Amino acid sequence: MSKKVKTVKLKTFEKLLVACLISGKPVTKQEIDSLLGNEIYMYRISTYIWHIKTIANGIVKVIKDGRKVSGYQLVNVDEVKQYLERVYIVTGK
């Protein structure tokens, strides 16, 4: 008998988390655009970061070049991975 697998549709901020920020390394806006440019709206990136902060309890460090935002970095990777495990996106160890 095969195991039944639950399919979950990712929310937009979860796509951003899983594809770019979960490594904990700084990611530029150009890298985000090249990876997820056709799946997310780049003008709403601040809203997605806000969702990461409020829903997934993530701490996102904003990297700036003067006054302009150039990239983002997820600081508390382990806590966000626990959120992803809770919503069945990432499996445990």
Side-chain angles (χ1 to χ4, degrees), residues 4 7-8 10 12 14 17 28-29 31 37 39-40 42-43 45 49 51 62 76 86-87 92:
K4 189 170 184 176
T7 57
V8 178
L10 293 178
T12 311
E14 293 170 343
L17 261 176
T28 64
K29 288 175 85 172
E31 291 172 350
E39 296 184 33
I40 66 172
M42 286 304 291
Y43 70 91
I45 195 91
I49 297 297
H51 281 138
V62 178
N76 60 339
R86 256 194 332 267
V87 294

Side-chain angles (χ1 to χ4, degrees), residues 47-63:
T47 305
Y48 304 144
I49 297 297
W50 179 71
H51 281 138
I52 291 170
K53 291 178 179 180
T54 57
I55 298 172
N57 294 324
I59 299 172
V60 180
K61 179 180 175 184
V62 178
I63 302 165

Side-chain angles (χ1 to χ4, degrees), residues 12 16 28-48 72:
T12 311
L16 179 63
T28 64
K29 288 175 85 172
Q30 290 79 19
E31 291 172 350
I32 294 171
D33 190 26
S34 66
L35 286 172
L36 297 172
N38 58 350
E39 296 184 33
I40 66 172
Y41 297 110
M42 286 304 291
Y43 70 91
R44 295 200 57 189
I45 195 91
S46 61
T47 305
Y48 304 144
Y72 301 96

Side-chain angles (χ1 to χ4, degrees), residues 68-80:
K68 190 175 181 180
V69 175
S70 61
Y72 301 96
Q73 180 179 10
L74 185 65
V75 177
N76 60 339
V77 176
D78 293 332
E79 292 178 28
V80 175

